[in-house]
Amino acid sequence: MFISFEGTEGVGKTTLIRRIYDDFVAQGKDVVLTREPGGTAMAEQIRALLLAVNHEEAMCNETELLLMYAARAQHLAQVILPALAAGKIVLCDRFSDASFAYQCAGRGLSEEKLTLLNDNFVARMPDLTFWLDAPIELGMNRARERGALDRFEQEKVSFFEKVRSGYATLSQRHPERIKQLDATQPPEKVFEQALSYLK
């Protein structure tokens, strides 16, 4: 089974994914915990490029999108598809829904570009996606408490409002796969919401 975790910055994805991972391991299940962009040595190098704030030139939106999919192609080939083929559960912090929310809804790139990339380079979509939803200011306050902000986290609130609306659009399009969780709740309550869908 392939489960992804989505949401804007600071909504608690990392906390939830770790709780679910620990719960599955306690049940004796074979689980792979991974993230995007990243998940392999090469994809993590691309992640560092995407998140760095000190580039001498501005990264254009198309470059950002293509780097995301370069990392994703490597991640799928090296980690996700082999794990699923071996009968493992894959828990992934973000996947291609994030590209729709951030690069299409947030940056304004056309859905046609994303569809082209998905159709050609994404051989498998998640079976289940948890969308952790919370007001942007709440998430940004949490992100700031973690320390220095990366290139995405430094975006304006208006950008993240667009990203959040992008996730809402996806949730309406794919209600059978994408489950919205109230991320304003304490972590234990969010975990209980997720468990109710898993069971």
Side-chain angles (χ1 to χ4, degrees):
M1 190 175 189
F2 182 15
I3 307 172
S4 63
F5 298 74
E6 298 283 355
T8 49
E9 312 306 314
V11 292
K13 294 189 310 329
T14 305
T15 301
L16 176 61
I17 200 170
R18 173 56 64 178
R19 291 290 301 272
I20 291 176
Y21 174 82
D22 291 343
D23 187 62
F24 278 152
V25 169
Q27 295 177 46
K29 298 185 187 301
D30 201 349
V31 193
V32 172
L33 179 58
T34 190
R35 69 177 182 178
E36 287 212 345
T40 78
M42 189 180 293
E44 288 291 335
Q45 289 181 301
I46 298 173
R47 177 189 180 89
L49 194 60
L50 283 160
L51 300 188
V53 296
N54 58 352
H55 294 299
E56 293 180 3
E57 58 188 296
M59 185 180 295
C60 78
N61 295 337
E62 286 80 3
T63 299
E64 182 180 278
L65 178 68
L66 291 170
L67 283 173
M68 288 288 185
Y69 273 84
R72 183 162 295 136
Q74 188 71 9
H75 191 207
L76 276 162
Q78 297 293 322
V79 176
I80 295 175
L81 296 178
L84 293 172
K88 299 177 182 180
I89 298 171
V90 175
L91 305 179
C92 191
D93 188 339
R94 298 198 193 285
F95 195 62
S96 60
D97 292 317
S99 293
F100 175 86
Y102 278 77
Q103 280 76 53
C104 290
R107 301 287 191 214
L109 292 177
S110 71
E111 284 192 49
E112 286 77 15
K113 290 178 179 177
L114 195 75
T115 300
L116 179 69
L117 290 168
N118 278 333
D119 288 349
N120 285 279
F121 301 107
V122 179
R124 174 72 187 269
M125 284 295 287
D127 302 297
L128 176 65
T129 297
F130 289 123
W131 168 36
L132 285 77
D133 184 40
I136 299 304
E137 289 288 1
L138 175 64
M140 291 312 298
N141 287 338
R142 290 175 179 170
R144 281 189 283 267
E145 289 170 3
R146 293 194 302 239
L149 302 179
D150 65 35
R151 191 174 67 87
F152 283 98
E153 291 168 342
Q154 291 183 7
E155 288 288 347
K156 294 181 173 65
V157 169
S158 58
F159 169 77
F160 288 112
E161 293 291 0
K162 293 176 192 172
V163 172
R164 187 184 183 194
S165 70
Y167 278 123
T169 297
L170 286 172
S171 180
Q172 291 162 5
R173 288 182 187 175
H174 309 285
E176 71 295 336
R177 175 173 64 84
I178 300 176
K179 306 304 178 185
Q180 182 178 0
L181 306 180
D182 180 1
T184 65
Q185 299 286 314
E188 186 62 40
K189 293 292 184 184
V190 178
F191 178 57
E192 289 174 7
Q193 290 177 62
L195 278 187
S196 69
Y197 287 115
L198 288 170
K199 288 176 179 174

